[in-house]
């Protein structure tokens, strides 16, 4: 008997209380105590002890006792009060603890599985407990007409005291007590197959039920008891079962009387079977559901007319019809493959499990099956899918529902936000089963803890091992498929996971100036580097064709130096986050201060000669460029525009401009300075050098410098500020270059000039030409012409 109320009241407070003799107290909280000291028993079994102490304080103690059974109410059963503040606690369970109503079936099936596990364990030492009870199984029968769901197991069952202890005390787990007793008995050991760890799983039934009836028969007792409770009630009833038709041999039967809103959803047999397959598919005991089935049978046709009947003389025709019937169907046919020894499982079994579990049609590229022991113990099977997600929403989405978390073979959740896998590995699919995960009370949310971090670290490591096995295969087609599908994910990992750079970098693949058709790894690049080369060179563009024709490559290709082509938007950011690979720095060849290792010293005469040209060109371009200098990277192009060492490259500037929420202020800041490099060996530069010396004020020379800058802007990957203005300059230069080249006659030139002059005159006078509508133009033979 647990105390329901205990406190100290002032005398004035006690004086305000009215005696309860002769009337029924509504509850323990509203019961009253008489004046003076002594003991008074109220009609509902509430006993008040009033003791006067010093001063004006009166100590009152109220003990809640079991209500005494009136005579003649034997059939109604005994009524008990919950040993908790039920109204608030039940409200928390029903409205706050669980996020989905459907989990009630998972909880009840898990409890049934525990009951079967307990019986199997106890039956090892006492075989009489297993006698005459049938197979260890769970059966679920929905009834849409009655609006009920009945869940029956042939487990250990409960006695009357166990009913009061387990179902009458909310948040008390009978499974936890059972495990504790086993651990204390060292001779028996502990059974890790038990699922329940919190005592609120049973009460999830009230998520969908307005009334719950539990009928249970323990092999330790000759009597069968019925527990009954209504939602939002503070009490429950326990009575002895007397109906012979409802007697159980052994085990527990739970009947849920569904709410009207949930009746048509959860009393549907197909819905029940789907929930079992989702949450309890790998429970170690068979689960049968009551399903409607169909079969074809042959029946005799209806009676025919007498004339036909006499002609056939006893020959009766038969027809085939489809007949519907109800029967039990096994819902958890798939066995948990991760619980078996990997050496005993064929690849075809792994592939079949993958397709069935994740609704895939292609075989996975690779799989890994492992068991982790030590600080954290769990089993897992992970897969690399055969193709990338078809939906763009699933790409780079941490909530892809690709990892299914189980606790003791019961499905917990597949909705994670980076707890078990980082975002860049969200394409990996698989199952994780642990016996001791830190879950919350409702077993839906994975709590952030040291155990979860250890699990995440080991899952990521095993995933890298699996991908590396694909990369190391002699048949490179598998890794080619992997890279086409999931290469972007690996590059994203280089940005987000700095701790795993050493494992991510060898998995990267790129086109290069020496391998335009095939992709190469960074290891292959480093192995083919000459000893004098101290860096890994790359160029970032928007396409492979742009990379191959970029002017920055000219001197490097001439010196047989390999350059990586970064042609995807994420490539440049990934490489910049890596910074180095095997002590070799990554160098962008489109930026200033490019060092190739064997630069020749320029003569003083060359420096003096082109220093004057550089100053003159800088004067013409003004603030468009930071400086003009002689280039070390050009061999055939006249000039190139390179970005500053610490600013954005042309490719990065293009990407940032394309951002929907791009910040123009940061764009101007990060764009940095641009450097105009010229090739002193090119004829155009030599002509400009002569113009600088002989005619520095020439209008044609200045226009040539501006056009040269605009052309360098485009060839270097930048976007001109005014494309139309650039087009006009090109047309003008073409007219000068092509004028009269192919012998255009003087008469045509005169007509052309006359036409231009008349067009200018018309436009200056503002005259408008008469426009004749097509309907007004009529031929000579038109009969309606004169009308």
């Amino acid at each position: 008997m647990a105390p329901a109320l205990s406190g100290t009241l002032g005398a004035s407070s006690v004086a305000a209380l009215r005696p309860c003799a002769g009337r029924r107290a509504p509850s323990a909280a509203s019961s009253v105590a008489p004046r003076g000291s002594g003991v008074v028993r109220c009609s509902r079994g509430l006993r008040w002890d009033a003791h006067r102490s010093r001063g004006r304080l009166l100590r009152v103690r109220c003990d809640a006792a079991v209500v005494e059974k009136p005579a003649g109410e034997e059939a109604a059963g005994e009524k008990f009060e919950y040993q908790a503040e039920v109204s608030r606690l039940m409200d928390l369970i029903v409205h706050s603890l669980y996020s989905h109503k459907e989990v009630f079936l998972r909880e009840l099936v898990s409890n049934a599985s525990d009951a079967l596990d307990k019986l199997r364990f106890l039956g090892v030492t006492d075989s009489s407990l297993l006698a005459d009870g049938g197979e260890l199984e769970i059966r679920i029968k929905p009834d849409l007409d009655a609006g009920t769901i009945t869940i029956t197991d042939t487990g250990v069952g409960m006695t009357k005291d166990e009913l009061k202890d387990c179902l009458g005390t909310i948040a008390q787990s009978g499974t936890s007590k059972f495990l504790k007793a086993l651990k204390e008995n060292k001779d028996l050991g502990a059974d890790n197959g038990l699922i329940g760890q919190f005592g609120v799983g049973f009460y999830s039934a009230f998520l969908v039920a307005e009334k719950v009836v539990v009928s249970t028969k323990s092999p330790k007792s000759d009597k069968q008891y019925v527990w009954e409770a209504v939602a939002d009630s503070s009490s429950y009833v326990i009575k002895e079962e007397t109906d012979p038709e409802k007697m159980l041999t052994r085990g527990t039967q739970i009947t849920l009387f569904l709410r009207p809103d949930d009746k048509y959803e959860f009393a549907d047999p197909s819905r029940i079977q789907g929930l079992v397959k989702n949450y309890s598919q790998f429970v170690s005991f068979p689960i049968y559901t009551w399903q409607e089935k169909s079969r074809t049978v042959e029946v005799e046709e209806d009676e025919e007319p007498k004339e036909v009947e006499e002609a056939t003389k006893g020959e009766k025709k038969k027809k085939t019809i489809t007949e519907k019937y109800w029967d039990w169907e096994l819902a958890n046919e798939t066995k948990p493959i991760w619980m078996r020894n990997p050496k005993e499982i064929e690849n075809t079994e792994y592939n079949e499990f993958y397709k069935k579990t994740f609704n895939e049609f292609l075989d996975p590229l690779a799989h890994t099956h492992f068991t982790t022991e030590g600080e954290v113990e769990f089993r897992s099977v992970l897969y690399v899918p055969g193709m990338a997600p078809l939906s763009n929403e699933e790409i780079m989405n941490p909530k892809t529902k690709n990892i299914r978390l189980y606790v003791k073979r019961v499905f917990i959740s597949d909705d994670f936000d980076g707890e078990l896998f980082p975002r860049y590995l969200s394409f990996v699919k698989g199952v994780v089963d642990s016996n001791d995960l830190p879950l919350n009370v409702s077993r839906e949310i994975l709590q952030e803890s040291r155990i979860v971090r250890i699990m995440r670290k080991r899952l990521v490591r095993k995933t890298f091992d699996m991908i590396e096995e694909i990369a190391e295969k002699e048949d490179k087609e598998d890794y080619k498929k992997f890279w086409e599908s999931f290469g972007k994910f690996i590059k994203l990992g280089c940005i987000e996971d700095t701790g795993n750079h050493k494992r991510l970098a060898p998995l990267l693949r790129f086109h290069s100036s020496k391998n335009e058709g095939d992709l190469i790894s960074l290891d292959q690049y480093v192995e083919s580097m000459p000893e004098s080369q101290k860096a890994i060179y790359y160029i970032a563009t928007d396409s492979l064709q742009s990379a191959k024709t970029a002017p920055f490559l000219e001197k490097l290709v001439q010196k047989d130096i390999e350059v990586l082509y970064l042609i995807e938007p994420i490539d440049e950011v990934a490489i910049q986050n890596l910074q180095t690979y095997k002590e070799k720095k990554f160098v962008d060849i489109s930026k200033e201060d490019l060092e190739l290792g064997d630069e020749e010293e320029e003569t003083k005469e060359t420096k003096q000669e082109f220093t004057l040209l550089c100053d003159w060109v800088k004067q013409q371009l003004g603030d468009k460029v930071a400086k003009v200098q002689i280039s070390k990277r050009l061999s055939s192009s006249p000039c190139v525009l390179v970005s500053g060492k610490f600013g954005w490259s042309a490719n990065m500037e293009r990407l940032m401009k394309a951002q929907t929420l791009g910040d123009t202020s940061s764009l101007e800041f990060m764009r940095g300075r641009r450097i105009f490099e010229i090739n002193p060996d090119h004829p155009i530069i030599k002509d400009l050098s002569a113009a600088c010396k002989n005619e520095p004020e020439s209008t044609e020379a200045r226009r040539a410098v501006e056009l040269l800058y605009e052309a360098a802007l485009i060839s270097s990957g930048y976007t001109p500020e005014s494309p139309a203005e650039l087009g006009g300059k090109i047309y003008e230069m073409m007219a000068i270059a092509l004028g009269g080249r192919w012998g255009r006659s003087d008469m045509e030139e005169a007509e052309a000039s006359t036409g231009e002059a008349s067009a200018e005159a018309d436009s200056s006078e503002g005259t408008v030409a008469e426009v004749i509508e097509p309907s007004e133009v009529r031929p000579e033979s038109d009969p309606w012409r004169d009308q």
Side-chain angles (χ1 to χ4, degrees), residues 381 470 622:
V381 180
I470 305 175

Side-chain angles (χ1 to χ4, degrees), residues 167-232:
L167 302 189
T169 306
I170 296 179
Q172 178 168 299
S173 172
T175 300
S176 298
K177 281 189 172 183
F178 186 76
L179 285 172
K180 185 178 180 181
L182 292 180
K183 291 177 181 178
E184 291 175 356
N185 191 342
K186 297 181 180 179
D187 296 334
L188 295 177
D191 186 1
N192 291 327
L194 295 172
I195 300 167
Q197 56 179 323
F198 303 107
V200 298
F202 168 77
Y203 300 97
S204 65
F206 290 104
L207 290 169
V208 296
E210 57 187 5
K211 177 182 175 183
V212 177
V213 177
V214 180
S215 184
T216 182
K217 170 70 169 61
S218 172
K220 300 178 183 179
S221 174
D222 296 332
K223 296 181 180 180
Q224 179 174 326
Y225 293 95
V226 177
W227 181 98
E228 183 176 325
V230 179
D232 302 326

Side-chain angles (χ1 to χ4, degrees), residues 106-122 136-138 153-157 173-179 182 191-199 201 252 283-285 407-410 443:
R106 178 194 68 185
E107 299 293 337
L108 296 179
V109 170
S110 297
N111 290 343
S113 176
D114 277 352
L116 294 168
D117 262 321
K118 292 177 187 177
L119 180 66
R120 183 170 59 181
F121 184 82
L122 296 173
L136 300 180
E137 63 185 17
I138 303 170
D153 68 75
T154 56
V156 70
S173 172
T175 300
S176 298
K177 281 189 172 183
F178 186 76
L179 285 172
L182 292 180
D191 186 1
N192 291 327
L194 295 172
I195 300 167
Q197 56 179 323
F198 303 107
T252 302
V283 169
S284 55
F285 298 98
V407 172
K408 297 176 181 177
R409 302 174 307 283
V410 175
R443 296 201 295 226

Side-chain angles (χ1 to χ4, degrees), residues 82-86 88-101 103-112 114 165-177 195-208 212 227 254 256 439-445:
Y82 289 109
Q83 295 183 17
E85 193 174 350
V86 177
R88 292 187 63 189
L89 189 57
M90 289 293 288
D91 184 70
L92 284 173
I93 292 173
V94 174
H95 298 104
S96 303
L97 198 58
Y98 296 95
S99 58
H100 302 287
K101 286 185 176 182
V103 299
F104 81 93
L105 192 64
R106 178 194 68 185
E107 299 293 337
L108 296 179
V109 170
S110 297
N111 290 343
D114 277 352
D165 191 28
C166 295
L167 302 189
T169 306
I170 296 179
Q172 178 168 299
S173 172
T175 300
S176 298
K177 281 189 172 183
I195 300 167
Q197 56 179 323
F198 303 107
V200 298
F202 168 77
Y203 300 97
S204 65
F206 290 104
L207 290 169
V208 296
V212 177
W227 181 98
I254 302 176
L256 310 182
L439 302 174
N440 71 349
V441 177
S442 66
R443 296 201 295 226
E444 290 183 348
I445 304 171

Side-chain angles (χ1 to χ4, degrees), residues 451-503:
I451 294 177
V452 177
R453 289 194 295 270
I454 294 173
M455 284 187 64
R456 173 189 169 111
K457 186 175 180 180
R458 294 184 180 178
L459 288 169
V460 170
R461 185 179 65 192
K462 287 293 184 180
T463 302
F464 280 132
D465 292 341
M466 178 171 52
I467 298 174
E468 286 170 4
E469 287 180 6
I470 305 175
E472 293 171 359
K473 284 183 179 180
E474 294 183 3
D475 185 6
K476 299 301 180 183
E477 286 299 318
D478 283 348
Y479 195 77
K480 187 177 180 181
K481 292 178 183 177
F482 168 82
W483 186 254
E484 289 175 355
S485 299
F486 309 110
K488 293 183 178 68
F489 291 80
I490 301 301
K491 295 170 185 175
L492 179 65
C494 295
I495 300 171
E496 295 186 341
D497 191 356
T498 56
N500 281 310
H501 275 177
K502 290 184 178 180
R503 304 205 70 170

